[in-house]
Amino acid sequence: MSQIFFEPENWQFKAVHEQDWLPARVPGCVHKDLERNGIIAEPFYRRNELDQQWIDKQDWEYEGCFQLSEQELNAAGLELVFDGLDTYADVYVNGVPVLSANNMFRTWRINIKPAAKPGTNRLTVYLRSPIAEDLPKLEKLGYHLMANNEQPETGGLGDKRVSMFARKAPYHYGWDWGPRFVTSGIWREVRLAAWSGSRIRDVFIRQDEVTPEMARLTAQVEVEAATSWEGMLRLEADGQLWEQSVELAAGVTVLEFGLKIARPRLWWCRGLGNPELYTFEASLWVDGGRQADASVVTGLRSMKLVRRKDVYGCGFYVELNGVPVFAKGANHIPNDSFITEVTVERYRHEIVSAAEANMNMLRVWGGGIYEQQIFYELCDQYGILVWQDFMFACSMYPGSKEFLDNIALEAEDNIRRLRNHPCIALWCGNNEIDMAWAHYDESGGWGWKQHYSPEQRVMLWADYTAIFNRILPEAVEKFAPGAAYWPSSPLTDETGGISQHSTYLTMGSGDMHYWGVWHAVEVFEEYNRHVGRFMSEYGFQSFPEYRTVRAFAEESDMSLESPVMLAHQRSNNGNDLIKQYMDIYMKEPKDFPAFLVMSQILQAEAVRMAIEAHRRRMPYCMGTLYWQINDCWPVASWAGIDYYGRWKALHYYAKRSYQDLAISIDGTVGGFVNVYLISDLSEPVSALLEISLHDFAGQLLMRTVQPATAAPHISGMVSSLTVSGLLKGHDPASVVLVARLLQDDMVLDCKEHYFAGMKELKLPVPTIRVELIGSGGAGNQYRLECDVLAKQVWLSVEEEGFFTDNFFDLLPGYPKTVEFRPLQPEDGAAPTGRSLTVRSITDLI
C-alpha cells in the first residue's frame, strides 16, 4: 500500500464571491489564513474580535493539487481521507462532487477513483457558512434552544443562538472565558491512500482482564481485502509473537484472537507508578512476504469507575489496577480559539506542567474538541488520567434522525480513535445539561424548562435521553467494551444506577460542580462546607501577568472598566467580582500592574482552600478538578496557566497543594487549628511533625515535635491545637504558624498558617537576598533568604519558563532553594539569571 500526503504549502483559498486566490495553510482555518495574508489584524488584539464577525457569514473555498501515477490510479482502492473538516463542506475532485460533510468531529473517507485521473488532480473544498447554514434550522424549529454561553450579539445575530445545530466546537460561538470566532477550515490532516491486495484499517487491544500476574487481552484487527485472501496474521509485542492463519472474503473483516502476557508491566498514573507502554505490531503475510502492517501503543491496566453505596449516598472514584485513585487536576479547554495554531510544544508544555504540579487527571471538557492525538499520547507518557467528555455542553440539542445518526457516527469515530489510550479513565456524555434542565425538579435547574410548553418539554427531554442515555452509552459499550460511561457532569446517583436528577449542591453521591464561590459571591470559607464525592468543577478568576495583558492592550487600556479590559473578560461582571473579593481579603493594590498580580494571589488562595478541603475529606471525597488549567486566548479567566503558557500563582499553589504527601492546616473550626496529614502514596510513611510559632521578625515563640504516620491513601488529623494556647497573648496579625513534616534530613512538606486575614496582617518590608548557586542546561538555581517575613515572594525572569516554586512565604532562618526551568534554553547554555526580579506582596501595596 502506498500513501500520498498533501503538503500544507500546496493550498490556496478565497471567499467564494471573489476572484483572486491567496496562499493558505492546511491544516488551518480561514481566520488565520486571512491574518497571514494581511486581510485582517491580529484577532486577539484589543477589540479586533468585533471587526472580524463578518468572516463566519461568508462561504470560503480551498483548493489544492495532487499527482497520481497510473499505478496508483489502478490500485484496488484510492481513498481520500479528511481527519477533520470544519464544518459544512462540499468536496470536489476535478470538479466532480465526492463528499458533503456536516460534522467537525468526524473522519471522512471517500473513494475517489471515479473522479480521479493520471497526472495533476484538483481538489476543491467549498466551506459553507455555519451561520447561514443553521439560521434556517432555527427558523424552521420555531422556538429557541437554550445555549447560555453562546454570544450571538457579538456576532450580530441578536438573540438567535445556532451553535447547537452544528456538530462543531461549541466554544467557537463564545463562552464565559472565550471570544466568538466561528471558524471554517480544513482543521486536521488530509491524506490520500492508494492500496491493493489487503490493508489493516484498525488495531484495538481489548483488555479483558489485567492483573499483576496476567494480562488477558483480545486483539481486534480490522482488515480490508480487495479480493478473497489467504495468509497469516501476526501480532508482536515486547518480544512475544502470536500467529494465526486467516481466510478473508472481499470487503472488511474484523479478526480476533486472544493474547496473554504474564507479569505485565502495568500502566500507572502519576504518583502511583510508572506509565508503562507496549507497542503492538500487527502484520499480514502471504507466501513469506509482508503485505500490510499497522501498530498501536497502549498501556496495560485495569480501570474502573466505582460507584458504591455507603452511609452518605453513593461514592464516585476511579480505581486503577485495584487501587483507589484520588484524582487531582483541572479541567482542560482547547489551547487556542484557532486550534491549528497549537503546536506539539504547546501541548507538551501543558502536560508537563500538569505533571510538575502533581496532577494525575485532566478533564477534557465538552464544549471544546476531542483533542488531537498528541494530547492523549502525552497523557499516556506522563501518567495523566483523562476524564473525556463528549462534545456537548450547556445546551439543549435537536433530535432529528439525521442529527442523531450524525452523533452516532461521531461517537464511533472518536471512541475508535481514542480507545487504545490507557489514560482514558471514563467517558462523560455532556457538561451541565442535566443540572441545567433538571427534568424531575420543577423549581430546579437554570430556569430553562419554563421557556417551553408541556409538549415541547416532553420532546426536548426525549431528544436529550436519546443522545445521552441511549446513543452514547451504547457506542461506548460497543466500541470500547468495559469503559466507564457517565451521562452528564454533574450528576447524582442516589439509586446506584443512572440518576434522573442532579443539582450543583448535591454532595452525597456522584460528581459535583460548586460555583457558590464566584457566581453566588459566597466567601472562600464556603469551600469547606460544600464538599462532594468528586469535585469536577469549581474555580475563581484572575488576570494574567502584565506581559500577557500588554500583548492585547495598550497602556491607555490599563483599567478594569476600559473597553479593551472588558472585552477580555467574558464572565458577567467578572472584573467587578475580582475587585469585590479583593476588597474582602486583601489590601488595596498600589496600581493596575500590582492589581494583576494580586488578583492571581487571590485566585490561588481561593482554590488552595478548596483543594485542601477536598483532600482532607478523603475517602469521602475522591477527586478535585478545578476550573481550569489553560486559556484559549489572552484573557482574565479561571485558568492557572495563561494563553502564552505562563504559570499563574494558582499553578504554583496547586503544585504545593497536590503533593502526594501533604500537610493541610484547617483554621476554620472555631477556636482550633487542626493539622492534617494527607497521603496518596501506596506505602505508609513515618516522620516527625514539627509545629512552631514565629513572629514576623523570625523569633521563635513556640515549638513542638511529635511522631506522625501517614497511612496509604488516606487523610487524617494528626494535631489539634487551640488558638488561645498557641497565641498566648501574641498579636494574631503579627505571628505565623509553621508546620513541617521531617524525615531524616529531609523536609517532606511545609505549610504556613496565619491567624488573621491577608488584609489584617501587619507585614514588615523585607530585604530578600538572592544567591545564584548553580547553573546549567536545565536552568539556574537560586538560594533566597530574608531578614523578616517576606509574604508572597514572586520571582520573574525575562525568559519563558517556570520556577520549581513561586509565590511562597519566606521566613528568617528558613532559606529556600528554587530552580528556574526555561522552556526553550539556548543551545547548551542556561539562562544568565541577570533578568531575575524578586518581589513580595509589600511591593504591591
Side-chain angles (χ1 to χ4, degrees):
M1 181 176 72
S2 63
Q3 292 198 65
I4 306 164
F5 293 91
F6 293 105
E7 296 297 330
E9 305 84 50
N10 295 335
W11 290 87
Q12 55 185 357
F13 85 114
K14 67 180 182 69
V16 167
H17 64 273
E18 295 178 352
Q19 299 298 315
D20 295 333
W21 291 91
L22 298 169
R25 290 186 188 174
V26 172
C29 72
V30 169
H31 288 75
K32 297 307 288 186
D33 283 331
L34 289 170
E35 181 190 356
R36 278 187 283 268
N37 282 279
I39 308 300
I40 63 172
E42 201 283 310
F44 297 157
Y45 185 65
R46 303 195 83 204
R47 303 174 73 202
N48 286 348
E49 171 197 5
L50 300 177
D51 299 327
Q52 298 173 4
Q53 296 303 308
W54 59 272
I55 298 170
D56 61 46
K57 316 299 188 301
Q58 295 198 21
D59 295 349
W60 299 89
E61 197 170 358
Y62 278 70
E63 186 175 274
C65 293
F66 59 94
Q67 301 293 319
L68 281 178
S69 66
E70 289 281 359
Q71 180 182 4
E72 289 161 339
L73 190 61
N74 292 328
L78 184 61
E79 187 177 67
L80 179 65
V81 182
F82 289 92
D83 286 332
L85 283 167
D86 179 15
T87 290
Y88 298 109
D90 297 318
V91 180
Y92 302 82
V93 174
N94 298 321
V96 178
V98 296
L99 171 68
S100 184
N102 61 353
N103 191 321
M104 177 180 180
F105 304 124
R106 284 174 59 186
T107 300
W108 302 94
R109 302 175 184 275
I110 319 111
N111 174 22
I112 63 166
K113 284 194 75 172
K117 64 181 182 180
T120 301
N121 289 257
R122 179 166 50 90
L123 174 62
T124 304
V125 180
Y126 188 110
L127 296 161
R128 308 193 304 275
S129 159
I131 305 305
E133 186 78 13
D134 289 332
L135 277 173
K137 299 175 186 175
L138 176 61
E139 298 300 323
K140 181 179 179 180
L141 185 64
Y143 55 85
H144 290 270
L145 294 176
M146 304 307 295
N148 286 17
N149 283 286
E150 188 175 339
Q151 300 166 10
E153 300 87 353
T154 300
L157 302 179
D159 64 350
K160 296 179 179 179
R161 290 171 166 81
V162 296
S163 61
M164 71 292 297
F165 294 105
R167 290 312 300 143
K168 173 175 173 59
Y171 83 110
H172 284 167
Y173 297 83
W175 217 265
D176 59 1
W177 36 258
R180 183 187 184 279
F181 288 112
V182 183
T183 59
S184 291
I186 305 168
W187 75 289
R188 280 182 171 156
E189 188 177 79
V190 188
R191 62 187 184 277
L192 190 67
W195 64 279
S196 296
S198 60
R199 63 172 176 167
I200 298 175
R201 291 164 52 107
D202 185 55
V203 180
F204 172 41
I205 305 300
R206 193 180 74 210
Q207 303 190 28
D208 302 319
E209 183 184 17
V210 177
T211 68
E213 293 75 33
M214 181 69 69
R216 292 178 171 84
L217 316 171
T218 299
Q220 293 183 342
V221 183
E222 185 176 292
V223 179
E224 184 174 12
T227 60
S228 58
W229 186 89
E230 292 184 25
M232 183 74 67
L233 172 63
R234 291 181 180 174
L235 197 71
E236 299 177 69
D238 201 39
Q240 290 186 253
L241 173 66
W242 300 268
E243 292 183 323
Q244 72 176 33
S245 298
V246 295
E247 295 184 12
L248 303 177
V252 177
T253 304
V254 176
L255 303 172
E256 289 191 0
F257 59 95
L259 315 174
K260 290 183 180 180
I261 298 179
R263 296 179 297 280
R265 305 187 315 276
L266 298 180
W267 186 91
W268 291 96
C269 66
R270 195 219 58 79
L272 291 181
N274 294 325
E276 298 284 356
L277 297 172
Y278 285 77
T279 299
F280 288 82
E281 298 181 349
S283 55
L284 294 173
W285 294 74
V286 61
D287 296 331
R290 184 192 299 256
Q291 187 168 88
D293 54 41
S295 65
V296 295
V297 177
T298 192
L300 304 183
R301 84 288 189 269
S302 169
M303 188 87 74
K304 298 178 182 177
L305 176 62
V306 179
R307 293 176 288 134
R308 187 174 296 125
K309 286 185 178 181
D310 56 25
V311 296
Y312 306 104
C314 190
F316 189 106
Y317 65 88
V318 170
E319 182 184 275
L320 177 62
N321 300 324
V323 176
V325 177
F326 188 99
K328 302 177 294 189
N331 287 261
H332 159 91
I333 66 171
N335 276 302
D336 207 296
S337 292
F338 310 109
I339 197 65
T340 52
E341 298 299 297
V342 186
T343 62
V344 171
E345 288 73 22
R346 287 174 67 180
Y347 275 118
R348 185 177 303 280
H349 176 59
E350 179 191 5
I351 303 307
V352 168
S353 294
E356 286 281 342
N358 297 307
M359 294 183 181
N360 60 17
M361 179 178 277
L362 293 174
R363 175 185 174 221
V364 177
W365 165 78
I369 63 169
Y370 304 94
E371 268 296 353
Q372 309 282 32
Q373 204 71 16
I374 184 63
F375 175 89
Y376 302 98
E377 290 172 2
L378 289 166
C379 288
D380 290 343
Q381 294 166 18
Y382 284 89
I384 304 296
L385 296 165
V386 172
W387 168 315
Q388 178 65 54
D389 281 4
F390 287 95
M391 293 302 115
F392 301 89
C394 301
S395 301
M396 298 304 288
Y397 290 88
S400 68
K401 183 179 185 304
E402 178 187 15
F403 191 79
L404 297 184
D405 289 347
N406 199 1
I407 289 170
L409 292 169
E410 168 190 324
E412 176 181 351
D413 280 357
N414 286 284
I415 295 169
R416 286 165 60 96
R417 180 171 70 92
L418 301 180
R419 60 187 176 179
N420 280 308
H421 288 285
C423 63
I424 302 290
L426 67 96
W427 292 85
C428 180
N430 69 72
N431 176 73
E432 294 188 341
I433 305 178
D434 183 273
M435 69 172 287
W437 185 260
H439 189 70
Y440 296 94
D441 183 355
E442 183 60 28
S443 61
W446 297 352
W448 285 6
K449 297 188 299 294
Q450 287 70 27
H451 291 273
Y452 301 100
S453 69
E455 295 78 15
Q456 290 169 341
R457 289 192 193 188
V458 170
M459 182 174 63
L460 286 169
W461 185 246
D463 295 341
Y464 174 92
T465 58
I467 298 170
F468 302 110
N469 291 355
R470 178 175 60 84
I471 293 173
L472 297 182
E474 287 178 359
V476 171
E477 180 58 31
K478 181 177 180 180
F479 299 110
Y485 175 78
W486 188 240
S488 183
S489 179
L491 191 70
T492 62
D493 188 13
E494 298 291 349
T495 63
I498 294 175
S499 172
Q500 302 291 341
H501 168 67
S502 69
T503 75
Y504 82 98
L505 289 177
T506 301
M507 295 185 284
S509 299
D511 72 311
M512 178 179 174
H513 295 189
Y514 171 62
W515 285 103
V517 175
W518 186 260
H519 288 303
V521 204
E522 295 176 0
V523 295
F524 295 171
E525 289 73 17
E526 287 298 303
Y527 281 128
N528 293 287
R529 295 184 57 241
H530 297 283
V531 179
R533 308 309 296 268
F534 192 108
M535 302 300 296
S536 47
E537 270 195 35
Y538 60 92
F540 194 87
Q541 275 203 4
S542 74
F543 278 82
E545 64 180 74
Y546 181 77
R547 277 190 303 173
T548 297
V549 173
R550 286 292 278 118
F552 68 78
E554 295 295 331
E555 196 63 43
S556 59
D557 300 319
M558 294 294 168
S559 68
L560 277 180
E561 299 303 317
S562 74
V564 169
M565 219 55 64
L566 292 174
H568 287 255
Q569 165 60 270
R570 292 309 172 93
S571 181
N572 188 36
N573 298 320
N575 290 355
D576 288 339
L577 276 175
I578 295 173
K579 181 66 166 62
Q580 186 175 342
Y581 275 102
M582 192 174 293
D583 289 343
I584 295 172
Y585 288 103
M586 305 185 80
K587 290 182 169 68
E588 185 76 18
K590 67 179 183 180
D591 53 26
F592 191 72
F595 178 89
L596 301 178
V597 181
M598 289 177 66
S599 77
Q600 292 191 22
I601 295 169
L602 184 71
Q603 175 194 37
E605 288 287 342
V607 176
R608 176 198 62 79
M609 188 173 290
I611 290 172
E612 296 192 18
H614 304 157
R615 294 193 71 193
R616 287 196 299 267
R617 293 293 302 277
M618 179 170 61
Y620 170 83
C621 176
M622 285 297 289
T624 176
L625 308 178
Y626 62 80
W627 186 272
Q628 65 212 58
I629 189 173
N630 60 326
D631 271 330
C632 71
W633 72 318
V635 64
S637 80
W638 294 273
I641 303 174
D642 76 20
Y643 173 73
Y644 296 105
R646 296 162 183 159
W647 288 20
K648 295 183 182 179
L650 168 56
H651 204 74
Y652 289 105
Y653 268 57
K655 179 178 181 179
R656 296 194 290 266
S657 293
Y658 279 155
Q659 287 185 132
D660 294 332
L661 183 64
I663 293 170
S664 177
I665 305 174
D666 181 13
T668 62
V669 181
F672 288 87
V673 173
N674 297 323
V675 182
Y676 290 77
L677 198 52
I678 304 165
S679 176
D680 292 322
L681 302 175
S682 297
E683 300 293 333
V685 175
S686 296
L688 296 175
L689 177 66
E690 176 195 77
I691 299 175
S692 56
L693 188 73
H694 306 256
D695 65 20
F696 290 170
Q699 182 179 351
L700 179 65
L701 305 176
M702 181 276 290
R703 179 177 180 269
T704 65
V705 179
Q706 67 180 67
T709 300
H713 307 292
I714 200 68
S715 166
M717 188 190 303
V718 290
S719 182
S720 182
L721 305 168
T722 65
V723 173
S724 59
L726 287 167
L727 291 179
K728 294 181 178 178
H730 295 293
D731 182 357
S734 300
V735 294
V736 57
L737 182 79
V738 179
R740 298 199 302 167
L741 190 65
L742 309 174
Q743 189 180 67
D744 300 327
D745 295 328
M746 296 175 57
V747 179
L748 303 180
D749 193 22
C750 177
K751 293 287 176 24
E752 298 85 24
H753 173 73
Y754 295 87
F755 296 87
M758 287 185 285
K759 192 171 185 178
E760 289 77 36
L761 292 179
K762 298 175 182 177
L763 296 174
V765 177
T767 298
I768 303 173
R769 297 179 296 279
V770 182
E771 179 186 1
L772 178 63
I773 60 173
S775 62
N780 288 347
Q781 283 191 337
Y782 305 95
R783 177 185 171 93
L784 294 93
E785 297 181 276
C786 62
D787 58 343
V788 295
L789 171 70
K791 187 157 181 58
Q792 299 293 345
V793 175
W794 168 37
L795 309 176
S796 60
V797 294
E798 295 173 0
E799 297 93 343
E800 296 290 353
F802 58 89
F803 292 89
T804 52
D805 201 1
N806 208 347
F807 292 96
F808 52 82
D809 294 353
L810 191 63
L811 275 166
Y814 292 87
K816 191 174 186 69
T817 299
V818 175
E819 180 181 330
F820 175 70
R821 295 180 179 171
L823 288 188
Q824 295 179 328
E826 297 177 9
D827 297 341
T832 64
R834 288 194 297 259
S835 63
L836 180 69
T837 302
V838 183
R839 286 160 284 197
S840 72
I841 200 163
T842 56
D843 296 305
L844 305 175
I845 55 179

